[in-house]
Amino acid sequence: MLEIIQSGGWMMVPIIISSILALGITVERFWTLRAGQIAPRDLLARVWGWMKNNQLDSARIKELRASSPLGRVLAAGLINSRHGRQIMKESIEEVASHEIHEMERNLNALGTIAAVAPLMGLLGTVFGMIQVFSEIMTQGTGQANLLAGGISEALITTAAGLIIGIPALVSHRMLQRRVDEIVVFMEQEAIKLVDVLHGDREVADSSEAA
């Protein structure tokens, strides 16, 4: 394996660095973007319980804010609920925007690696082919084994770039899909909270829906 990497030339260095970054981002994001950790499905039901039992005080809101990103979104709405529906929605959207930004952290970098890694591999192959044709110009085509070996080495970078780029692209799409699903769920929960606190929905019905 080391010989293959060395034969790929200096373009293998950025490709290897890209592979390490892609792996690190993928593992970290899959671990962080766990739906149960970001948007627990029973969280809104707990808030309904606090409201019914008159337990929704500053301590509960502080606990809610510290529990999860969805908790911070709901807490922002609860804190501003007395200022009217529009202010409550704006405060939820402001906090939700920040939380979505955090969930999407490093996904652009992963997508960039998925797009650039094959191109770096192709660039390495182009450099390799230039060297091969330079050898043809100086030594002629009599040494077929040498030329075949040079072409094989030139193609190593393309293979390496594809090996990095394809999994990175798949991971990026999967992670982006996970973020989208979490965001939709958070929006639904926030809408339920707004509707209940401003009379458009009954708490009992919302609890059952949650």
Side-chain angles (χ1 to χ4, degrees), residues 156-210:
I156 288 174
T157 54
T158 295
L162 292 172
I163 289 172
I164 303 306
I166 293 172
L169 179 60
V170 172
S171 298
H172 178 264
R173 294 290 177 85
M174 291 176 64
L175 289 167
Q176 190 62 61
R177 175 66 177 174
R178 181 173 296 189
V179 169
D180 292 342
E181 290 175 349
I182 293 173
V183 169
V184 169
F185 177 74
M186 291 174 66
E187 288 177 350
Q188 292 173 343
E189 298 296 272
I191 290 171
K192 290 177 186 177
L193 180 66
V194 173
D195 288 347
V196 166
L197 293 180
H198 290 279
D200 294 333
R201 190 191 298 241
E202 295 294 331
V203 173
D205 294 339
S206 298
S207 300
E208 291 173 3

Side-chain angles (χ1 to χ4, degrees), residues 11-33:
M11 278 301 299
M12 289 296 293
V13 175
I15 291 175
I16 292 173
I17 293 174
S18 298
S19 70
I20 296 171
L21 290 174
L23 179 60
I25 293 171
T26 300
V27 172
E28 187 273 335
R29 286 291 88 189
F30 270 113
W31 175 257
T32 301
L33 295 175

Side-chain angles (χ1 to χ4, degrees), residues 60-190:
R60 291 290 190 183
I61 292 178
K62 184 177 180 181
E63 176 186 343
L64 182 64
R65 187 186 294 127
S67 64
S68 63
L70 176 59
R72 287 188 282 276
V73 171
L74 298 180
L78 291 169
I79 292 171
N80 293 278
S81 60
R82 65 182 181 276
H83 299 301
R85 183 186 186 94
Q86 187 60 34
I87 298 298
M88 181 180 179
K89 289 180 66 176
E90 289 177 359
S91 64
I92 287 175
E93 290 171 358
E94 181 179 349
V95 175
S97 177
H98 173 74
E99 296 300 333
I100 293 170
H101 177 74
E102 285 298 310
M103 284 190 285
E104 292 180 337
R105 184 164 52 90
N106 293 330
L107 289 188
N108 284 339
L110 184 60
T112 300
I113 291 172
V116 170
L119 296 179
M120 289 192 295
L122 180 60
L123 181 60
T125 296
V126 170
F127 287 148
M129 294 302 293
I130 290 173
Q131 293 177 357
V132 168
F133 285 113
S134 296
E135 291 292 331
I136 292 176
M137 291 176 63
T138 57
Q139 300 183 18
T141 58
Q143 299 179 347
N145 292 336
L146 178 61
L147 296 178
I151 294 172
S152 175
E153 291 176 3
L155 293 174
I156 288 174
T157 54
T158 295
L162 292 172
I163 289 172
I164 303 306
I166 293 172
L169 179 60
V170 172
S171 298
H172 178 264
R173 294 290 177 85
M174 291 176 64
L175 289 167
Q176 190 62 61
R177 175 66 177 174
R178 181 173 296 189
V179 169
D180 292 342
E181 290 175 349
I182 293 173
V183 169
V184 169
F185 177 74
M186 291 174 66
E187 288 177 350
Q188 292 173 343
E189 298 296 272

